[in-house]
């Protein structure tokens, strides 16, 4: 009798992989308007555009507010040519797992540490998680 070998399977992260603690009554969450031309995944670290208040993927080369980490996406969203008011982020009093965060490509360890401190300043703690 032979042994059947199945290929390894993996699941994408879900909210439980990312969000380890949040305050009661949705206090930690903000419904936000997502800027146009965004494809934000669960765990994406976002900044807030100063002029409009819209959130967008963290961009360390920007000078319009997107260079400062302000929250973490908990509902994936893709926007086309117009902003969408359907975004949801954790923006305060929450703990997220470091392995589930989505960072900009090419971010250095020093930049990541600075962004984690920016998240801490708004009340979102980043912890090592499994």
């Amino acid at each position: 009798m032979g042994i059947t070998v199945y290929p390894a399977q993996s699941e994408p992260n879900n909210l439980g992989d990312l969000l380890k603690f949040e305050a009661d009554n949705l206090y930690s969450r903000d419904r936000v308007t997502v800027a146009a031309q965004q494809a934000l995944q669960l765990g994406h670290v976002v900044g807030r555009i100063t002029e409009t208040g819209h959130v967008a993927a963290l961009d360390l080369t920007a000078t319009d507010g997107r260079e400062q980490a302000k929250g973490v996406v908990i509902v994936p969203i893709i926007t086309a040519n117009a902003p969408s008011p359907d975004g949801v982020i954790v923006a305060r009093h929450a703990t997220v797992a470091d392995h589930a965060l989505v960072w900009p490509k090419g971010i250095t360890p020093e930049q990541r540490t600075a962004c984690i401190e920016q998240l801490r300043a708004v009340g979102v703690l980043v912890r090592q998680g499994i």
Side-chain angles (χ1 to χ4, degrees), residues 5-20:
V5 177
Y6 295 98
Q9 300 212 356
S10 64
E11 282 184 21
N13 284 336
N14 61 47
L15 188 57
D17 295 322
L18 170 69
L19 189 59
K20 299 304 180 181

Side-chain angles (χ1 to χ4, degrees), residues 45-61:
V45 179
V46 293
R48 190 177 297 269
I49 301 169
T50 307
E51 185 176 316
T52 62
H54 299 167
V55 299
L58 184 68
D59 181 352
L60 300 174
T61 63

Side-chain angles (χ1 to χ4, degrees), residues 10-95:
S10 64
E11 282 184 21
N13 284 336
N14 61 47
L15 188 57
D17 295 322
L18 170 69
L19 189 59
K20 299 304 180 181
F21 171 81
E22 68 175 319
D24 292 337
N25 300 318
L26 306 177
Y27 173 77
S28 301
R29 299 180 186 199
D30 274 350
R31 186 161 202 153
V32 295
T33 299
V34 178
Q37 303 296 323
Q38 297 293 303
L40 302 177
Q41 305 169 32
L42 174 73
H44 232 115
V45 179
V46 293
R48 190 177 297 269
I49 301 169
T50 307
E51 185 176 316
T52 62
H54 299 167
V55 299
L58 184 68
D59 181 352
L60 300 174
T61 63
T63 58
D64 61 0
R66 293 176 292 149
E67 71 278 7
Q68 296 286 318
K70 295 293 185 182
V72 178
V73 172
I74 60 171
V75 176
I77 185 168
I78 297 173
T79 59
N81 295 327
S84 171
D86 297 328
V88 181
I89 65 171
V90 288
R92 73 190 65 75
H93 202 67
T95 303

